[in-house]
């Protein structure tokens, strides 16, 4: 067993995990004059199937951190909004104008690994930041004060590193989440992802949301020649890849619901590309009240990736945290009580942007994965027709989704506007013969709308 070495130098801040959150936080706090140690298990380029579309709100946060150059030189594709498909129809949902610039907001899609490597380079080149490749095995605790005071990291040697504050952002499968909260991720479905080469999408430079049955399919270009496909497969267990069940599911269930123009390339890619999967989970946020420890990113808060809001929330969290833990607010992180107080304030302050993104992602997924539920199907149909109205019926929802509108009440307004409009659509579709049924449906649809959104709103009010 390697010897345990205790270095002489201590740090102001240790960050575990060099993903989106960790790298951005390392740069932000390093530039603020804090001595930062960033530890990552594997510094080689990651290869993931999600985290490849950064919404305009995330781009703005990246700019606020002075890291916008990380979007350059990665063969990224500008994204100007969405195209939503349902039963052969398409509705375009452009991003609204950015209030800061007056111009149409723009997102960016890219290969996740290329983006992460640019973020890591930015962190590495920041004064006061030390980057180390090692696996953090243990949090070091002062049992008398019930406080995390450092970490044990195993690389070529096993080393103890000390700091008065540790930020853990080790992702979806967090090893240290249990040190911070009893909440566990609730897996709702899985994304099965692969790439299609040289596919011309129906609406270039847009994310494509296809309301297939039983659940949605996402497509967006991530490079000059590559388009990412993410197929949502409901349930906690995937069909087997070993015996061909998953491939057959894609061919027989998913393909018929896709636009005809992409079906041939979709089937072709199924024969050549490796099908990879990841769980789609919901984890409501928790207040960071642990002495010496902060948990961020997917380790702390997750929502369904249908709306691509994860990185936007993560980067805005770093911007906010930088301000709450600034030198002016907390000269030294040894002031544990002050840090805990600031983290409580941080928990509630982040609600302005994370509540809308978290709740919208989960509520939209429930609508878009309506399956056999007749009331959810009514809401899905009404939602699509609502988007077709254009104007504020589009600007509001996509402003929330993109992270540009940071007012949760706007989400509540549009969600129930969709619910009432869905009922109007049903009356128009059904004619006089369906009036009795649709009168009953007024109550059932509104009930389902309430039970769709209210639990998620309630989860955001908890500490």
């Amino acid at each position: 067993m390697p010897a345990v070495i205790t270095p002489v130098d201590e740090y102001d801040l240790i960050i575990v995990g060099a993903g989106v959150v960790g790298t951005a936080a390392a740069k932000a706090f390093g530039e603020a004059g804090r001595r930062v140690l960033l530890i990552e298990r594997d510094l080689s380029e990651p290869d993931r199937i999600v985290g490849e579309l950064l919404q305009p709100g995330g781009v703005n946060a990246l700019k606020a951190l002075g890291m916008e150059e990380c979007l350059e030189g990665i063969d990224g594709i500008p994204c100007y909004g969405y195209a939503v498909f349902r039963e052969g129809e398409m509705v375009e949902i452009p991003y609204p104008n950015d209030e800061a610039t007056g111009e149409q907001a723009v997102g960016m899609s890219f290969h996740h690994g290329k983006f992460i490597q640019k973020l890591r380079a930015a962190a590495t080149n920041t004064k006061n930041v030390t980057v180390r490749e090692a696996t953090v095995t243990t949090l070091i605790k002062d049992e008398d004060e019930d406080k995390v005071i450092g970490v044990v990291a195993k690389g070529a040697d096993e080393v103890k590193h000390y700091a008065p504050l540790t930020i853990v952002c080790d992702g979806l499968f967090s090893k240290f989440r249990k040190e911070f909260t009893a909440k566990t991720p609730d897996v709702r479905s899985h994304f099965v992802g692969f790439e299609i080469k040289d596919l011309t999408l129906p609406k270039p430079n847009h994310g494509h949301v296809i309301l297939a049955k039983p659940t949605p399919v996402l497509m967006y270009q991530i490079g000059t020649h590559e388009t990412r496909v993410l197929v949502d497969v409901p349930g906690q267990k995937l069909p087997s890849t070993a015996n061909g069940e998953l491939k057959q599911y894609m061919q027989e269930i998913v393909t018929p619901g896709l636009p005809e123009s992409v079906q041939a390339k979709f089937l072709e890619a199924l024969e050549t590309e490796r099908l990879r999967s990841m769980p789609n989970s919901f984890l409501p946020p928790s207040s960071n009240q642990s002495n010496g420890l902060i948990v961020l990113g997917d380790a702390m808060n997750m929502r369904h990736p249908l709306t691509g809001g994860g990185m936007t929330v993560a980067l805005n969290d770093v911007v906010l945290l930088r301000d709450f833990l600034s030198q002016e607010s907390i000269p030294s992180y040894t002031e544990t009580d002050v840090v805990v107080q600031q983290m409580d304030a941080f928990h509630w302050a982040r609600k302005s942007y994370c509540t809308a993104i978290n709740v919208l992602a989960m509520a939209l997924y429930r609508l878009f994965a309506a399956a056999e539920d007749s009331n959810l199907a009514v809401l899905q149909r009404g939602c699509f027709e609502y988007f077709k109205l254009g104007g504020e019926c589009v600007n509001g929802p996509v402003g929330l989704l993109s992270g540009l509108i940071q007012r949760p009440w706007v989400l509540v307004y549009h969600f129930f506007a969709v619910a009432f409009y869905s009922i109007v659509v049903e009356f128009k579709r059904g004619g006089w013969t369906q009036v009795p049924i649709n009168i009953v449906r007024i109550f059932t649809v509104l009930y389902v709308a309430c039970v769709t959104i209210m639990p998620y709103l309630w989860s955001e009010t908890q500490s």
Side-chain angles (χ1 to χ4, degrees):
M1 180 176 177
V4 175
I5 303 169
T6 303
V8 175
D9 292 337
E10 292 189 357
Y11 298 89
D12 297 311
L13 178 65
I14 295 171
I15 300 175
V16 180
V20 174
V21 180
T23 51
K27 186 175 190 299
F29 286 101
E31 286 183 339
R34 308 287 191 179
R35 293 169 298 166
V36 179
L37 173 63
L38 176 61
I39 306 176
E40 166 58 37
R41 177 181 58 83
D42 183 0
L43 287 171
S44 62
E45 184 174 313
D47 182 16
R48 295 183 60 192
I49 63 172
V50 294
E52 296 180 315
L53 198 160
L54 184 62
Q55 300 288 358
V59 174
N60 288 346
L62 204 62
K63 291 177 180 177
L65 293 166
M67 302 180 77
E68 62 268 31
E69 75 281 353
C70 294
L71 294 173
E72 300 171 1
I74 58 174
D75 194 26
I77 306 296
C79 182
Y80 298 103
Y82 282 84
V84 181
F85 296 78
R86 183 180 183 277
E87 296 181 353
E89 287 189 89
M90 183 194 84
V91 61
E92 181 182 351
I93 305 179
Y95 289 135
N97 288 347
D98 191 324
E99 292 180 1
T101 64
E103 300 177 351
Q104 185 186 8
V106 183
M108 186 72 72
S109 52
F110 40 70
H111 286 276
H112 176 82
K114 292 180 180 180
F115 179 54
I116 292 297
Q117 293 304 88
K118 291 292 289 268
L119 292 174
R120 288 174 176 173
T124 300
N125 294 327
T126 300
K127 185 180 179 181
N128 301 316
V129 176
T130 301
V131 180
R132 182 181 177 213
E133 185 174 61
T135 299
V136 174
T137 58
T138 311
L139 300 177
I140 303 172
K141 295 183 179 179
D142 182 328
E143 299 297 342
D144 293 334
E145 296 188 12
D146 187 27
K147 177 182 176 180
V148 174
I149 58 173
V151 302
V152 177
K154 186 175 182 180
D157 297 303
E158 192 172 79
V159 182
K160 290 182 177 179
H161 298 287
Y162 293 92
L165 186 60
T166 297
I167 296 178
V168 169
C169 37
D170 56 346
L172 165 65
F173 302 106
S174 175
K175 180 178 181 179
F176 300 108
R177 182 186 292 122
K178 62 181 180 294
E179 306 282 348
F180 151 78
T181 180
K183 297 175 184 176
T184 57
D186 179 10
V187 177
R188 304 299 176 90
S189 64
H190 288 77
F191 263 153
V192 175
F194 58 96
E195 293 180 12
I196 299 180
K197 299 295 191 293
D198 297 314
L199 172 67
T200 301
L201 288 167
K203 192 70 180 175
N205 295 102
H206 286 68
H208 290 58
V209 181
I210 302 156
L211 304 185
K213 294 181 179 179
T215 46
V217 177
L218 304 185
M219 293 185 181
Y220 46 90
Q221 193 174 350
I222 58 173
T224 303
H225 299 285
E226 300 85 27
T227 293
R228 169 65 65 203
V229 178
L230 294 171
V231 178
D232 185 85
V233 181
Q236 296 188 349
K237 186 177 180 181
L238 281 169
S240 172
T241 53
N243 63 14
E245 284 183 0
L246 182 58
K247 181 179 175 181
Q248 184 180 8
Y249 177 88
M250 296 287 183
Q251 292 168 329
E252 298 179 2
I253 305 299
V254 177
T255 303
L258 302 178
E260 289 186 10
S261 61
V262 305
Q263 288 186 14
K265 281 280 191 177
F266 183 89
L267 290 169
E268 179 184 316
L270 287 176
E271 301 297 332
T272 59
E273 298 294 315
R274 179 167 64 99
L275 302 182
R276 295 186 293 156
S277 66
M278 66 154 287
N280 296 326
S281 305
F282 173 62
L283 179 67
S286 299
S287 178
N288 281 276
Q289 295 294 290
S290 302
N291 294 331
L293 176 68
I294 295 172
V295 180
L296 289 179
D298 283 351
M300 184 266 286
N301 181 205
M302 287 184 284
R303 78 293 304 153
H304 196 288
L306 171 70
T307 56
M311 290 190 293
T312 297
V313 171
L315 290 168
N316 276 284
D317 277 350
V318 174
V319 173
L320 190 65
L321 191 69
R322 176 191 62 183
D323 296 338
F324 272 76
L325 301 186
S326 67
Q327 294 268 15
E328 293 74 22
S329 299
I330 310 176
S332 171
Y333 292 150
T334 56
E335 300 177 59
T336 302
D337 291 344
V338 181
V339 172
V340 170
Q341 290 173 9
Q342 288 295 87
M343 290 311 301
D344 184 63
F346 167 83
H347 174 75
W348 298 109
R350 72 189 292 272
K351 297 298 182 183
S352 64
Y353 53 86
C354 81
T355 294
I357 292 174
N358 289 342
V359 176
L360 180 64
M362 301 309 300
L364 266 187
Y365 175 69
R366 193 149 189 259
L367 263 60
F368 288 177
E372 302 304 318
D373 188 305
S374 61
N375 290 304
L376 285 173
V378 169
L379 288 168
Q380 182 192 105
R381 184 160 48 245
C383 183
F384 189 77
E385 295 298 322
Y386 188 78
F387 290 155
K388 287 165 68 174
L389 295 175
E392 277 306 304
C393 297
V394 163
N395 290 339
V398 79
L400 292 162
L401 178 149
S402 63
L404 295 174
I405 296 178
Q406 299 187 353
R407 299 184 294 276
W409 67 264
V410 177
L411 167 63
V412 177
Y413 168 79
H414 282 285
F415 187 83
F416 283 100
V418 165
F420 282 106
Y421 190 68
S422 299
I423 295 167
V424 172
V425 169
E426 287 307 295
F427 272 93
K428 288 181 177 179
R429 289 179 73 247
W432 288 105
T433 59
Q434 297 296 309
V435 167
I437 293 175
N438 284 329
I439 288 175
V440 174
R441 191 157 274 166
I442 292 173
F443 301 99
T444 59
V445 168
L446 289 178
Y447 170 77
V448 169
C450 289
V451 299
T452 293
I453 194 172
M454 291 304 183
Y456 300 118
L457 288 171
W458 174 253
S459 71
E460 291 290 325
T461 68
Q462 306 304 298
S463 62

